[in-house]
Amino acid sequence: QVQLVESGGGLVQAGGSLSLSCAASGRTFSTYVMAWFRQAPGKEREFVAAITRSGGGTFYADSVKGRFTISRDNAKNTVYAQMKSLKPEDTAVYYCAARANAVVVTTAYDYWGQGTQVTVSS
């Protein structure tokens, strides 16, 4: 079992930056691929970014490519999202997710955090 807890959400002006963290329980963190998803009000949950077990491979939705960076520190059982040049359309609840298999861009992940709100003002 893996428990995920996101932090770092908040209010930021358009064009600003924000960093999210996701702390995972357990000693097998490095065996999971990790991802960030987001869900805006009235919208489906959508893929944002993912990172492989060792951190050697990253994947991004086209909407955030070049602006968001996903990284992980397996020694700290933590995955990060560094977000820059934020836009109002980035406003959403951001969720951390873990999967015990290869990276996918669907919601087919095994474990989910509770989410953290990111609001980008105009």
Side-chain angles (χ1 to χ4, degrees):
Q1 294 285 329
V2 175
Q3 294 187 21
L4 306 172
V5 180
E6 302 96 334
S7 63
L11 176 65
V12 64
Q13 291 185 329
S17 299
L18 198 64
S19 294
L20 307 180
S21 297
C22 173
S25 66
R27 299 178 64 186
T28 59
F29 175 74
S30 63
T31 69
Y32 291 88
V33 298
M34 302 295 297
W36 289 97
F37 289 77
R38 66 187 183 186
Q39 188 167 20
K43 302 290 187 179
E44 295 292 318
R45 191 169 299 186
E46 66 175 355
F47 172 81
V48 174
I51 188 165
T52 56
R53 294 171 181 83
S54 67
T58 56
F59 306 84
Y60 298 94
D62 288 342
S63 59
V64 307
K65 193 173 298 182
R67 300 188 299 119
F68 290 14
T69 302
I70 187 170
S71 61
R72 67 191 296 162
D73 187 338
N74 288 344
K76 296 181 179 179
N77 281 12
T78 303
V79 63
Y80 305 93
Q82 287 79 45
M83 307 182 295
K84 65 179 182 181
S85 301
L86 284 162
K87 306 173 181 179
E89 52 262 45
D90 294 320
T91 295
V93 176
Y94 283 71
Y95 297 90
C96 178
R99 177 176 163 88
N101 287 290
V103 166
V104 297
V105 298
T106 70
T107 56
Y109 281 71
D110 300 300
Y111 304 99
W112 294 86
Q114 83 290 341
T116 186
Q117 177 71 46
V118 172
T119 302
V120 184
S121 62
S122 300

